[in-house]
Amino acid sequence: MATNHSIQKVDDLKVTIHDVEYNLTTWQDYHPGGQLILQQYNNADATDAFVAFHGEEATQQLKKMKGTPVTKKKQLHPEVVAYRELREKLLQDGWFETDWAWETYKIASTYLLFIVAGLLAYLGYWFPSAIILGIAYQQAGWLGHDFCHHNVFKNRKFNNFFGYITGNLLNGFSVNWWKDRHNTHHAITNVLDSDPDIDNLPLFSWSVEDLVRAEQYPLAAAILPYQHIYFPLFTPTLKLIWALQSVLWLKDDTTQNKSYIKSRNYEQLTLVAHWLIIGYMLFFWVGYEHALFHLLISQGIGGAGIACVVFMNHYAMDAYSEYDEENNNFVKLQLSTTRNIQKGVITDWICGGLNYQIEHHLFPLVPRHNLSKLQPIVQQFCEENELPYDNLPFTSCFKEIEKRLYSVAKTYEKISKKQD
């Protein structure tokens, strides 16, 4: 829901990984994950972020790049040492390996939902078709998330291909738009002016510290005091907002580096194909009299289904005005800004594994099917290192969202009255 911001190239971009400083000034134009995420770690240590998001292919590519060894190495915090040891053990024990029987089931069952929705529309059952298509949108969102995190195939090209099919063609989202914002969100979670996911003004403000920016938006004064009231009503619109942002992002050269622009034609083609397919189904199968209702129901269910998961994990957690790698390193940042939704068979299916958000944020390359089994190990890690582990039922997560929105709204009201 964040605004698509123009990205300015950093003239002297230096990032440290494994005690080696790399000048990425040129590379930022070609980085497959976009340049924004690199800029967030300018003149900082990005070791844990790099290792968390990259597999062997990227690691080998990094080794070929010229770097300068750091003369004065920083003392690692105990929890960072423990985290790196745990990750290495998980890697050796096979936690990052794909269960192909499970993945085949998940891919096939998700794609089947679209086929069933289309078949029902063709047979004239427009209402159940709309409901199932909305569910398909939501489930495809999680499947696309898996592909774009490259935790299904070892080959990034295969992940990208299925990402375009699932994200662009089936769901109507730009994969590269998603990567650009989501990768940055993972690396710099809940840091104001850095994490695109919590940049929701003028519709929502998630932190009192973020209210200083509300003055930039005339609409904020009229609606922010009521954000806790209209939040539930907003959730069905999320998918359409993301679809619109995808189109706007693809049209704007200033938001993309050369890596993204290279695949832009393919992205545009698949997005156009998505809406042509939807249009054909609505007007030739569903019919003019029900087309709008079908569109609104399917988009609404898909949007609300996605929103009621993604908003639960981070938005009501701590937010920071800046990233302080000394006092709030990668491990602490992920754990202080992330909340799990308590597990259950139905919850796991609805949430697409994102109810295990803590495990996912610490180890984003671990396939979804392993996250539930990984949970007790991560809980023990947090307990041993005196780190927070926030895990609440779904209803409690929703209440926390409403409490946060209400608290910020009331603070904004008080500030506005004082200024008047």
Side-chain angles (χ1 to χ4, degrees):
M1 199 174 66
T3 304
N4 295 330
H5 295 296
S6 298
I7 306 301
Q8 302 298 323
K9 183 176 179 179
V10 174
D11 292 333
D12 191 23
L13 179 58
K14 294 180 179 179
V15 175
T16 299
I17 302 172
H18 294 309
D19 295 321
V20 178
E21 184 181 77
Y22 296 92
N23 190 319
L24 303 180
T25 307
T26 301
W27 175 242
Q28 65 183 305
D29 281 335
Y30 302 93
H31 181 230
Q35 59 199 67
L36 180 60
I37 186 173
L38 298 180
Q39 293 175 5
Q40 302 306 323
Y41 279 89
N42 188 25
N43 295 318
D45 191 310
T47 300
D48 294 303
F50 174 84
V51 174
F53 308 140
H54 298 87
E56 185 61 26
E57 184 180 347
T59 301
Q60 293 303 319
Q61 186 173 357
L62 180 68
K63 291 179 179 179
K64 298 176 182 178
M65 300 175 70
K66 293 182 179 180
T68 304
V70 175
T71 54
K72 188 178 180 181
K73 298 181 180 180
K74 294 181 179 179
Q75 184 71 30
L76 295 177
H77 291 265
E79 66 274 4
V80 174
V81 175
Y83 166 71
R84 293 181 182 182
E85 290 174 350
L86 174 59
R87 189 185 188 282
E88 185 60 31
K89 185 177 187 305
L90 294 175
L91 187 64
Q92 296 302 320
D93 291 348
W95 286 86
F96 292 78
E97 297 303 315
T98 296
D99 180 341
W100 283 110
W102 189 92
E103 290 292 353
T104 301
Y105 143 74
K106 180 51 63 177
I107 294 170
S109 62
T110 302
Y111 289 176
L112 182 62
L113 286 171
F114 287 94
I115 296 173
V116 171
L119 181 61
L120 287 171
Y122 178 75
L123 295 174
Y125 301 105
W126 72 268
F127 187 68
S129 167
I131 293 174
I132 292 177
L133 183 58
I135 296 171
Y137 283 145
Q138 195 244 19
Q139 288 296 303
W142 312 144
L143 184 60
H145 176 269
D146 294 341
F147 289 129
C148 292
H149 267 297
H150 300 286
N151 60 32
V152 179
F153 298 98
K154 296 301 180 187
N155 188 307
R156 296 178 72 88
K157 291 182 179 179
F158 289 167
N159 284 312
N160 286 333
F161 173 79
F162 279 96
Y164 288 131
I165 296 297
T166 310
N168 292 51
L169 185 62
L170 295 181
N171 239 344
F173 300 149
S174 159
V175 161
N176 287 339
W177 164 81
W178 182 90
K179 285 182 180 180
D180 194 61
R181 55 175 284 153
H182 192 73
N183 291 342
T184 306
H185 155 72
H186 261 269
I188 205 86
T189 310
N190 278 23
V191 176
L192 300 173
D193 294 329
S194 297
D195 181 354
D197 275 12
I198 59 171
D199 179 10
N200 300 153
L201 284 168
L203 285 177
F204 302 105
S205 177
W206 301 97
S207 170
V208 172
E209 290 77 10
D210 197 34
L211 289 176
V212 295
R213 297 194 306 116
E215 298 177 358
Q216 304 172 23
Y217 305 93
L219 181 63
I223 66 174
L224 275 187
Y226 311 102
Q227 61 177 3
H228 54 292
I229 298 173
Y230 61 73
F231 170 73
L233 303 175
F234 157 82
T235 58
T237 69
L238 184 65
K239 185 179 180 300
L240 285 172
I241 290 176
W242 281 7
L244 176 61
Q245 287 187 325
S246 293
V247 172
L248 295 176
W249 188 84
L250 282 170
K251 290 176 62 179
D252 188 355
D253 288 347
T254 65
T255 61
Q256 305 171 65
N257 67 1
K258 293 178 181 178
S259 175
Y260 290 151
I261 291 175
K262 184 179 179 181
S263 58
R264 185 165 58 183
N265 288 341
Y266 187 73
E267 284 227 273
Q268 291 173 336
L269 178 64
T270 48
L271 284 183
V272 169
H274 167 81
W275 289 109
L276 286 176
I277 293 170
I278 294 300
Y280 185 91
M281 180 184 70
L282 290 177
F283 292 110
F284 291 97
W285 293 353
V286 174
Y288 291 93
E289 65 275 19
H290 298 130
L292 181 60
F293 293 109
H294 189 288
L295 178 69
L296 293 178
I297 291 170
S298 60
Q299 294 290 328
I301 291 175
I306 293 171
C308 286
V309 176
V310 299
F311 279 102
M312 302 301 129
N313 298 131
H314 303 286
Y315 291 80
M317 299 296 287
D318 292 341
Y320 300 95
S321 56
E322 61 182 10
Y323 176 54
D324 180 2
E325 63 176 312
E326 289 298 324
N327 300 311
N328 199 20
N329 54 62
F330 180 82
V331 181
K332 284 185 175 180
L333 180 68
Q334 301 305 322
L335 290 167
S336 65
T337 60
T338 307
R339 169 178 287 136
N340 275 8
I341 304 171
Q342 284 183 3
K343 67 180 180 180
V345 176
I346 296 177
T347 304
D348 287 7
W349 186 84
I350 292 174
C351 296
L354 294 186
N355 50 318
Y356 304 103
Q357 191 76 187
I358 293 173
E359 289 72 22
H360 172 61
H361 260 248
L362 289 175
F363 308 103
L365 293 184
V366 168
R368 189 204 311 186
H369 54 77
N370 279 337
L371 293 177
S372 62
K373 293 174 284 187
L374 182 59
Q375 186 177 43
I377 296 175
V378 172
Q379 287 177 312
Q380 182 180 352
F381 163 79
C382 292
E383 184 178 345
E384 291 175 350
N385 291 276
E386 299 181 348
L387 295 167
Y389 187 94
D390 205 304
N391 186 31
L392 295 176
F394 178 85
T395 53
S396 298
C397 291
F398 190 83
K399 289 177 182 177
E400 290 298 315
I401 286 285
E402 285 294 312
K403 283 168 59 178
R404 173 59 62 91
L405 288 170
Y406 177 81
S407 175
V408 176
K410 292 306 172 185
T411 300
Y412 182 69
E413 270 191 309
K414 292 177 182 178
I415 294 174
S416 298
K417 288 179 180 179
K418 286 181 180 180
Q419 290 176 344
D420 292 342

